[in-house]
Amino acid sequence: MEFVDGRFELREVQKLEGHTDRVWSLAWNPATGVAGIPPSFASCSGDKTVRIWEQSPSTGSWDCKAVLEETHTRTVRSCAWSPSGKLLATASFDGTAAIWENVGGDFECVSTLEGHESEVKSVSWNASGSLLATCGRDKTVWIWEVQPGNECECVAVLQGHTQDVKMVQWHPTMDVLFSCSYDNSIKIWVDEGDDDDWGCVQTLDEPNNGHSSTVWAFSFNSSGDKLVTCSDDLTLKIWAAETARMESGVGYVPWRHLCTIAGYHDRTIFSVHWSREGIIASGAADDAVRIFVENIDRDSSVDGTSYKLLLKEEKAHDMDVNSVQWSPGEHRQLASASDDGTIKIWELAPLPC
C-alpha cells in the first residue's frame, strides 16, 4: 500500500461559510461525484437549516445551491441521503425527523416523522432505501418503513440503551442496525422474525473490550466487515465480523474487537469515517483532524492488526471538529464541520518530493 513510506499532507481546498451557528454534521450525496455528476453534500447546523453544497465543474469551487429552512424549529443535528440520492433525511432537536425530496434542484419537505419524546440525534437509511432509523435523547431507536409517496410508518421502537443514543447507522449491505450511546456501548439490532420483531443481538461494551465512556460515532469500511468506533475515552476501536457468513444465511455472526488506537487524542473524539480505500479520519474537540492507515509494515512477529497515524492537521478549525466525511467519489476529498460555523474541504495528497 502506498501509505507505508509516502509522506502526505491534508491540503485545504476551500472554506465554506454560510451557516450562522455550529455545523454539526455532513453527508455526501452518494449519487454524485461519479459519471460526470458534480460532487454534492449536505450540512446541518444549530442555525436550524440544512445547506446543499455543490462543486462547480468549470471552476472547481464549492457553492451553496440550496438552503432548507422553515421546517425544523431547533438545531438540525444529523442528515443522511437515501441510496438513490433523491431524498434527504434530517434529525432535529425539535423532536422530529424530516424527509426532503429534490425536485429539479428545489428541495421540499415531503414527510415529517414524529414520535420521539425529545431531541432526535441521528438518522440513517438502509442499503435499499426501504427503512429509515432514528435515535434520540429519549434513549430509544425507531425504525420506520418508507412507503410509496414517502410516507413513513414506525415498525419498531427499540429500547435497550440506558442513556442518550448518539448515532444510528445501518450496515452497508445487510439490514442490521447499529447504535451508539452515552451509556458507553454500541448495540446491534436485527429483525429476528418475519413481522418486525427487532431485537438486540449483541452489545459491544467495556466488559467486551469496548469503550469506557460515551461512544460518539462509528463507521464501516467499504466491504462492511470492519467497524471503527470513537469515544470520549480518547480512543478509536476497530471491530471485525465474518459478514460474508452472515450474508450466506448462517445466522448472526458476532463482532469481535481487533485493536484499540490510543495515545493520539487528548480530547473527546466526536467523529470518525472510513474511506473506500481504507483510510480512517477522525475529528475531535482539540480542533484537529487525524488520518490513520493500517500498519502493514509492522514486525511480522506481532500478532494481529494495528493502525498508525499518517498525519495530523493541528488547527483544522478554530473550534471543535464535529464531523469528518470522506467523499464517495474518485478523489481523496474530506469534508470537515466545526463549532466555528464553517465547513472545510480537504484533499489528501502526497508531499512534493
Side-chain angles (χ1 to χ4, degrees):
M1 192 180 191
E2 62 183 288
F3 300 112
V4 175
D5 299 311
R7 294 180 64 227
F8 285 78
E9 65 175 343
L10 205 56
R11 186 171 59 83
E12 184 178 327
V13 176
Q14 194 174 340
K15 180 162 77 170
L16 308 181
E17 297 176 305
H19 283 296
T20 57
D21 202 327
R22 69 184 60 181
V23 187
W24 276 112
S25 186
L26 302 165
W28 291 86
N29 187 322
T32 67
V34 292
I37 302 168
S40 175
F41 67 88
S43 61
C44 58
S45 167
D47 66 10
K48 310 173 193 173
T49 73
V50 177
R51 285 178 173 258
I52 309 296
W53 307 85
E54 189 179 288
Q55 188 175 26
S56 164
S58 55
T59 66
S61 71
W62 290 83
D63 301 298
C64 180
K65 291 295 184 182
V67 180
L68 286 51
E69 53 191 348
E70 296 176 2
T71 290
H72 290 300
T73 58
R74 291 183 63 195
T75 290
V76 185
R77 179 64 178 84
S78 169
C79 54
W81 294 96
S82 65
S84 69
K86 293 187 171 69
L87 299 173
L88 180 71
T90 53
S92 171
F93 285 2
D94 66 13
T96 70
I99 296 177
W100 307 75
E101 185 174 13
N102 182 359
V103 183
D106 290 326
F107 287 81
E108 52 185 80
C109 181
V110 293
S111 188
T112 302
L113 285 56
E114 298 178 333
H116 280 283
E117 291 175 10
S118 56
E119 300 169 357
V120 186
K121 296 295 181 74
S122 176
V123 62
S124 174
W125 300 83
N126 71 340
S128 66
S130 62
L131 295 172
L132 195 66
T134 58
C135 67
R137 190 176 175 181
D138 61 9
K139 309 173 191 174
T140 65
V141 174
W142 291 49
I143 297 176
W144 310 78
E145 190 172 59
V146 185
Q147 299 170 326
N150 300 320
E151 287 299 313
C152 291
E153 180 189 358
C154 176
V155 294
V157 177
L158 310 179
Q159 295 177 315
H161 284 295
T162 58
Q163 297 286 342
D164 183 355
V165 188
K166 296 293 186 188
M167 182 180 179
V168 282
Q169 193 174 337
W170 293 93
H171 185 271
T173 60
M174 299 180 289
D175 283 344
V176 178
L177 182 64
F178 290 65
S179 59
C180 66
S181 168
Y182 196 74
D183 67 12
N184 310 347
S185 76
I186 299 107
K187 286 188 178 288
I188 304 167
W189 313 83
V190 299
D191 187 353
E192 298 176 296
D194 298 323
D195 53 352
D196 295 313
D197 183 22
W198 289 85
C200 178
V201 290
Q202 190 177 2
T203 300
L204 308 178
D205 56 10
E206 194 170 5
N208 299 294
N209 294 310
H211 291 287
S212 60
S213 190
T214 301
V215 186
W216 277 93
F218 56 90
S219 177
F220 296 95
N221 67 348
S222 58
S223 56
D225 62 354
K226 285 182 183 167
L227 171 74
V228 59
T229 56
C230 69
S231 170
D232 188 50
D233 68 9
L234 314 184
T235 72
L236 302 172
K237 288 181 181 284
I238 309 289
W239 310 80
E242 295 175 48
T243 51
R245 286 182 58 210
M246 241 184 291
E247 289 171 325
S248 68
V250 300
Y252 182 75
V253 178
W255 289 74
R256 66 189 191 281
H257 175 259
L258 276 189
C259 66
T260 297
I261 304 172
Y264 296 104
H265 301 83
D266 49 19
R267 299 282 300 279
T268 300
I269 312 164
F270 289 127
S271 181
V272 65
H273 196 236
W274 218 322
S275 81
R276 56 189 168 71
E277 290 184 288
I279 309 166
I280 296 172
S282 69
D286 62 1
D287 315 340
V289 169
R290 292 167 179 81
I291 308 293
F292 298 90
V293 292
E294 188 168 354
N295 188 11
I296 58 169
D297 60 350
R298 64 185 184 277
D299 185 337
S300 59
S301 66
V302 178
D303 186 35
T305 306
S306 69
Y307 287 76
K308 66 177 183 180
L309 183 72
L310 184 70
L311 65 88
K312 176 184 177 184
E313 189 69 25
E314 287 277 4
K315 288 294 292 181
H317 284 273
D318 294 334
M319 297 170 74
D320 294 5
V321 181
N322 294 319
S323 183
V324 285
Q325 295 287 314
W326 291 102
S327 159
E330 292 136 17
H331 302 290
R332 288 184 185 140
Q333 283 187 317
L334 181 75
S336 61
S338 170
D339 275 4
D340 66 16
T342 71
I343 299 146
K344 288 188 180 181
I345 308 294
W346 309 84
E347 184 180 1
L348 181 63
L351 283 168
C353 294

